[in-house]
Amino acid sequence: MASRSQQPLHSPPGLRVFQRIGPRPRRLTLLVLALLPWFPALTGLSHAAEAAPNTVGLAELPDAADLIDRLLERSRGLSSYSEVSMTVHRPDWERNSSLKSWTRGEADSLIRFIAPARDAGNGTLKKGSQMWTYTPKLNRVIRLPSSMMSQSWGGSDFSYNDLARSDELREHFDHRIEAAGESGGQALFRVTSIPRPGAPVVWGKQELTIRADLVLIEQLFFDQDLKPLKRMTGHDFADAGDGRWLAMRMRMHTLEKDDHWTEIRYDTIKFDVDVADRTFTQFALKNP
């Protein structure tokens, strides 16, 4: 099995041209990203390239920070509701689960397991910068300390930090368009995101490949030694309404372990829905 430093990095699918823009940035001593409150914020990854017409030519490089801002705003919506199937895959077994998720704004989310029966009722609540979990077997709501945020969520390849991500990407990172390319008539931009000195983040670097129509193609997560640890890719591109193109399947790959991945599949997803304030409370977490 390849070590982390030997693990190959895959170019975005269907990529025909990808040219580096300017010199490589200096290597810094760093800390990481946090993106959006929950999975709807991670949508837009895809192997397809046939969506909306190209809006930015390769000669018209956008500002990297502005591109990140518009990506976050476009992919998040004011609120969302989704029904999700999740598969945790290992070389010798797979586990399938069903979940429901509600989000509001940049920082509030509630995720609840519906199936299988042994997991039904388990939930995770994020309110602002705080996070709680609930397990019916213990009948306790537990606030997660920062020391537990890097642990696996639900035995998957996502961590609690992945769920907690809000606007840290634009609040604590500097961004640079390091390469530009094209796929299926769409301009692509590879953005390198580096934590600012002293930023309260986990990863040492992130690389995002973003299409001109604000679709996130791929996201790579690096540790403090700038070794790639995880890669998120997307599949089954579709218009979720109002021209909001999303990947209806997303995979998070753990690169240091062969054939370890978790796939999220949207069965239903709606944006800008009415979500009651009481949804994002410990009472709601404990009482479906």
Side-chain angles (χ1 to χ4, degrees), residues 71-216:
L71 171 69
L72 298 185
E73 294 301 330
R74 177 73 174 273
S75 62
R76 171 164 43 219
L78 299 176
S79 61
S80 71
Y81 166 76
S82 58
E83 297 175 4
V84 176
S85 299
M86 181 172 76
T87 298
V88 178
H89 175 88
R90 298 296 180 257
D92 54 352
W93 58 267
E94 280 192 357
R95 184 176 75 247
N96 296 302
S97 305
S98 297
L99 309 94
K100 291 185 178 181
S101 169
W102 297 260
T103 73
R104 182 180 61 185
E106 303 169 357
D108 298 340
S109 64
L110 175 64
I111 309 153
R112 179 173 290 119
F113 281 83
I114 305 302
R118 67 176 181 273
D119 295 330
N122 290 348
T124 303
L125 169 69
K126 181 176 181 292
K127 180 73 173 177
S129 61
Q130 299 179 346
M131 182 174 285
W132 297 264
T133 63
Y134 173 71
T135 303
K137 292 179 181 179
L138 300 177
N139 195 29
R140 290 181 57 197
V141 174
I142 301 173
R143 181 177 172 182
L144 287 173
S146 57
S147 59
M148 292 183 60
M149 295 297 286
S150 61
Q151 294 185 8
S152 169
W153 172 76
S156 72
D157 294 277
F158 291 91
S159 69
Y160 286 102
N161 267 320
D162 294 324
L163 307 191
R165 292 181 289 187
S166 56
D167 269 4
E168 290 188 9
L169 184 60
R170 56 182 169 192
E171 292 176 357
H172 300 302
F173 282 75
D174 292 320
H175 312 286
R176 168 190 173 90
I177 295 180
E178 195 168 342
E182 179 183 290
S183 177
Q186 287 282 336
L188 299 176
F189 306 102
R190 179 173 291 165
V191 177
T192 296
S193 299
I194 301 294
R196 295 166 188 160
V201 293
V202 177
W203 302 107
K205 183 178 76 167
Q206 294 219 11
E207 288 184 358
L208 301 91
T209 300
I210 304 171
R211 213 165 60 183
D213 60 346
L214 304 179
V215 171
L216 182 61

Side-chain angles (χ1 to χ4, degrees), residues 104 127 275-281:
R104 182 180 61 185
K127 180 73 173 177
V275 183
D277 289 344
R278 62 179 179 272
T279 302
F280 306 105
T281 63

